[in-house]
Amino acid sequence: MSFLSATLSRVKPSPTVAVTTLANELKAKGRDVIGLGAGEPDFDTPAHIREAGKRAIDEGKTRYTAPDGIAELKEAICAKFKRDNGLDYSPEQVSVGTGGKQILYNALMATLNPGDEVIIPAPYWVSYPDMTLLAGGEPVFVEATLENAFKITPDQLEAAITDRTKWFIFNSPSNPTGAGYTRDELKGLTDVLKRHPHVWIMTDDMYEHLAYDGFEFCTPAQVEPALYDRTLTCNGVSKAYCMTGWRIGYAAGDAKLIAAMRKIQSQSTSNPCTISQWAALEALNGPHDFIAEHNAVFKRRRDLVVEAMNAIDGITCPTPDGAFYVYPSIAGLIGKTSAGGTTIDSDEAFATALLEEKGVAVVFGAAFGLSPCFRISYATSDDALKEACGRIRDFCNSLS
Ligand code: GLU
């Protein structure tokens, strides 16, 4: 429709949001659907954080704040970066937004000119390329293969950099694969970036605290201090603190970039929800012991799903280091036909038939830029996961 902007024709709706919405609609209609699409913890927001939100309401902390966050929260974010990552930031280097999504969007909108390139390892979280396109930039994909544990190599990064490269987006542990870069692996990438001073680094550290088997999280500005000035370190409270719906993300970096992001926010949404900001302050400053408890549960579920997937003929499922996703390959099933008559010629066909025939909602790999795979979010109950894995096994075994 010509009424809509030409820019919008370059992007598609978020597939993760679409799958989650579809699964919920089918459930509301009475269909027996197990949703493994949504990437959000099934745990409730911890009580002390909920109380902080309620207190904010009762104390009348319900008015506008500075467009990119209250001073108290910015202080808490600076303390978090120092405590967890050894990074020194001051409040004027910090931006708080409505979820990690708004932070990344603001940063891309604030910096991209037509034709600017953004290097994105694939598989990627679905919104990086489309946000890049919305901001007028060009996504440049670098394939992180299953054979290389879904990680890119320094040589691949080097080969992707051009004069037009503006950003390199780095996400570890990764959504959708759960793959995490060790310090040495990340150092290999930061050594390349050091040689290209025009390239800025945007990190998505949303899964920092969700790591298993002793995996040690690290972030680029920490591994290579020489990159500090051109790194935007992004994080948020959604995943570790089970606060997806509260919508609080944040970033720290160059003060001029942060000011530019503030300008966009002041002319669009203004401040993130005041109540959520006070709750996020409690999340960052309060006790963290529940995270280890949640991680023990996530690890158990990860192992359950990885074992179940690898037991299926035609599926290969690497064990992730973190996040709450697994990303099995269905290369061994391509070309088969489902009992319902669907030819499994792509991972999208696989996911569609799996939902229609067995009522299991997963996100197809093409949405993340690496096929033929699919993403399972295991942030749901053990019982639901066992039932879902059984249905996936039955579905795959019924393919002919
Ligand atoms: N990050 C989550 C996911 O990948 C939330 C949904 C979204 O905003 O994409 O499922």
Side-chain angles (χ1 to χ4, degrees), residues 5-271:
S5 79
T7 304
L8 201 61
S9 69
R10 289 177 22 113
V11 306
K12 59 185 181 316
S14 163
T16 47
V17 174
V19 168
T20 309
T21 309
L22 176 62
N24 289 338
E25 278 170 10
L26 292 172
K27 274 189 228 169
K29 282 186 194 148
R31 278 274 313 270
D32 169 23
V33 170
I34 306 174
L36 306 181
E40 64 174 340
D42 56 324
F43 300 114
D44 287 335
T45 306
H48 64 285
I49 301 174
R50 299 200 304 266
E51 285 308 320
K54 291 182 208 168
R55 222 168 30 244
I57 296 175
D58 290 340
E59 290 175 0
K61 291 170 172 161
T62 52
R63 299 194 167 81
Y64 294 135
T65 72
D68 62 353
I70 54 175
E72 292 86 342
L73 181 52
K74 290 188 178 185
E75 291 285 356
I77 290 165
C78 293
K80 172 261 172 300
F81 279 125
K82 185 72 186 161
R83 176 177 71 231
D84 296 341
N85 314 113
L87 290 170
D88 285 302
Y89 290 111
S90 56
E92 64 272 15
Q93 289 178 282
V94 172
S95 181
V96 184
T98 299
K101 263 178 155 160
Q102 186 178 28
I103 290 291
L104 302 175
Y105 180 75
N106 285 349
L108 293 168
M109 288 300 282
T111 54
L112 293 183
N113 291 310
D116 283 349
E117 293 172 0
V118 177
I119 297 178
I120 304 173
Y124 44 72
W125 176 51
V126 294
S127 293
Y128 304 145
D130 290 84
M131 284 181 182
T132 299
L133 290 166
L134 268 178
E138 301 299 331
V140 172
F141 301 116
V142 178
E143 194 171 300
T145 59
L146 186 145
E147 293 68 34
N148 201 40
F150 296 126
K151 292 180 244 190
I152 65 163
T153 64
D155 287 347
Q156 284 180 292
L157 177 59
E158 180 77 58
I161 293 173
T162 72
D163 292 348
R164 306 295 313 252
T165 308
K166 197 133 208 184
W167 287 103
F168 167 57
I169 300 187
F170 178 74
N171 171 225
S172 162
S174 144
N175 177 0
T177 64
Y181 287 74
T182 64
R183 182 173 277 266
D184 282 352
E185 286 166 343
L186 179 50
K187 186 76 173 61
L189 300 182
T190 57
D191 283 350
V192 172
L193 293 161
K194 246 169 88 175
R195 293 197 290 272
H196 298 276
H198 68 292
V199 180
W200 283 56
I201 301 96
M202 188 180 298
T203 75
D204 176 351
D205 297 347
M206 198 56 89
Y207 298 93
E208 166 175 17
H209 294 297
L210 304 182
Y212 318 112
D213 303 333
F215 175 78
E216 274 184 45
F217 171 86
C218 50
T219 191
Q222 171 188 25
V223 167
E224 180 46 79
L227 298 179
Y228 173 88
D229 288 340
R230 50 186 169 107
T231 299
L232 184 69
T233 304
C234 306
N235 210 316
V237 295
S238 290
K239 313 291 177 173
Y241 303 94
C242 313
M243 293 178 70
T244 47
W246 298 76
R247 310 305 303 131
I248 297 291
Y250 57 84
D254 177 80
K256 284 203 207 72
L257 171 60
I258 294 294
M261 291 163 62
R262 183 185 315 128
K263 194 199 268 189
I264 293 174
Q265 203 152 307
S266 78
Q267 292 289 22
S268 53
T269 59
S270 254
N271 64 272

